[in-house]
Amino acid sequence: MSHRLQRILDVFANWPLGWVYAVHDQAGEILYIGATEDLDERITAHEYDRVNQPDLRTWLRENVHTYSSLSHHPTKRAMLDAERMAIEQHRPRFNVRYHTIPPGATY
């Protein structure tokens, strides 16, 4: 495990499950917002070989600078609602499934 990944995991090690997280580039721009019940596993999946497309895996390693926790939640529903609201607010470039949803709409 890389030193960088270990530092990220250490930050989140003792926090509750039900996370909304952001992936940032070196300039701090949010590239992607996701939700997960297991933040350690999800970050590891982004960082390593659980991305099936080799070109995307290379791009992630070269362009992702850091991860941040936007919020944590006691229920899955609260987590998914928070993810949707964060995506509407930030409109990250890689959350393409939401690009056609007008801000404030429900799905």
Side-chain angles (χ1 to χ4, degrees):
M1 180 179 306
S2 73
H3 185 269
R4 179 173 147 246
L5 178 59
Q6 185 60 53
R7 282 193 330 252
I8 292 167
L9 295 178
D10 289 347
V11 169
F12 299 118
N14 296 313
W15 293 4
L17 298 178
W19 298 95
V20 177
Y21 66 95
V23 179
H24 303 265
D25 66 11
Q26 288 191 354
E29 177 187 354
I30 295 176
L31 301 173
Y32 177 79
I33 292 175
T36 184
E37 293 179 14
D38 188 338
L39 190 59
D40 294 348
E41 175 62 28
R42 190 66 182 130
I43 289 174
T44 301
H46 281 300
E47 288 276 321
Y48 291 100
D49 62 351
R50 291 184 200 105
V51 176
N52 293 327
Q53 304 92 342
D55 292 341
L56 177 57
R57 192 167 49 239
T58 299
W59 188 93
L60 286 169
R61 287 186 180 144
E62 292 174 357
N63 293 283
V64 170
H65 180 66
T66 191
Y67 297 84
S68 67
S69 168
L70 299 178
S71 56
H72 55 91
H73 305 276
T75 67
K76 187 170 186 172
R77 178 78 260 154
M79 174 186 71
L80 295 174
D81 288 344
E83 177 193 29
R84 179 183 48 79
M85 289 186 296
I87 290 168
E88 286 177 4
Q89 177 184 355
H90 297 285
R91 308 297 272 189
R93 123 172 76 142
F94 292 107
N95 288 98
V96 294
R97 153 178 143 183
Y98 298 98
H99 285 188
T100 58
I101 299 174
T106 59
Y107 61 98

